[in-house]
Amino acid sequence: MIVLYAKITGVHGIKGEIEMSFPDKEYFNSLPYLNKDTPIIILNNQYTVLNVKKKNKAFVFSLKEIDNIDKAKELVGQDIFIDSSYLPVLDEDTFYRAELIGYKVLDKENNIVGEIINLYSIPANEVFEIALEDNKKKIVSIPFVNAYFGKANKNEKTIIIIVDIKLFEDNN
């Protein structure tokens, strides 16, 4: 599985080094696994990391395929993706964000009520965007908190919603 790792935010120096930032702390914690010879994907092209170093509050890295500032500038603003096999295996109760996309949302009786199609962060927590099973064009946004969701099953790619999903539908 390919997961979002970071975003290219700028260039550093004339040799083509690139600065990156992370969408949230979860990705920041993954940094040690991005090291020399790690393949990454930018704009559907594979690149090879030569080194990574900390610079103030950002991180700077160089790529085997980028050797000057002009090539590096072309990548500014792009997302960096990494194959999840280069990230640590997580326990059953911890997930990478990209891993949850595609999970079926089940009610307490194990009926499919929707599918997670996206998620995003707000300061307090993560929010799932769920396409409803009975109307795939209808999307609801629900905070991923214990009051609303129960157990997730990595093997079956499901998560239980413990409240009525209709509470989150816009009736306008």
Side-chain angles (χ1 to χ4, degrees):
M1 169 178 45
I2 303 300
V3 297
L4 175 65
Y5 189 78
K7 181 178 276 302
I8 298 172
T9 55
V11 296
H12 180 75
I14 61 172
K15 295 182 181 178
E17 290 182 309
I18 299 170
E19 291 184 17
M20 68 178 151
S21 67
F22 298 89
D24 57 36
K25 292 177 187 172
E26 174 183 340
Y27 286 98
F28 175 79
N29 292 336
S30 303
L31 181 66
Y33 300 95
L34 181 61
N35 52 38
K36 188 175 185 332
D37 298 327
T38 301
I40 61 172
I41 300 165
I42 306 167
L43 291 171
N44 294 319
N45 294 310
Q46 185 167 313
Y47 295 87
T48 305
V49 174
L50 292 178
N51 66 39
V52 179
K53 59 187 175 188
K54 186 163 176 32
K55 180 193 153 225
N56 299 325
K57 293 185 177 183
F59 289 89
V60 174
F61 63 100
S62 59
L63 300 172
K64 182 178 180 180
E65 298 79 6
I66 304 293
D67 59 1
N68 66 62
I69 192 168
D70 294 325
K71 289 181 183 176
K73 283 181 180 178
E74 293 175 9
L75 300 178
V76 173
Q78 299 301 320
D79 291 327
I80 300 168
F81 296 87
I82 186 170
D83 189 297
S84 61
S85 64
Y86 291 94
L87 299 174
V89 176
L90 302 176
D91 63 38
E92 283 299 312
D93 295 326
T94 309
F95 300 86
Y96 289 110
R97 295 174 81 194
E99 181 179 12
L100 291 164
I101 295 175
Y103 269 44
K104 299 291 182 193
V105 178
L106 307 176
D107 63 16
K108 291 183 266 187
E109 287 80 36
N110 286 328
N111 299 310
I112 297 174
V113 296
E115 179 178 329
I116 299 171
I117 59 168
N118 192 20
L119 63 148
Y120 56 90
S121 294
I122 58 174
N125 49 271
E126 301 287 325
V127 176
F128 289 151
E129 287 186 344
I130 300 169
L132 299 180
E133 183 66 17
D134 58 354
N135 180 356
K136 300 270 188 212
K137 292 182 182 180
K138 192 160 196 173
I139 310 290
V140 296
S141 297
I142 305 175
F144 181 39
V145 294
N146 290 336
Y148 300 149
F149 290 94
K151 186 82 173 145
N153 184 317
K154 282 189 176 189
N155 294 328
E156 295 179 14
K157 297 189 181 297
T158 59
I159 188 165
I160 303 291
I161 188 165
I162 56 178
V163 296
D164 188 350
I165 202 163
K166 292 184 188 322
L167 295 172
F168 299 94
E169 290 183 41
D170 184 10
N171 293 322
N172 297 330

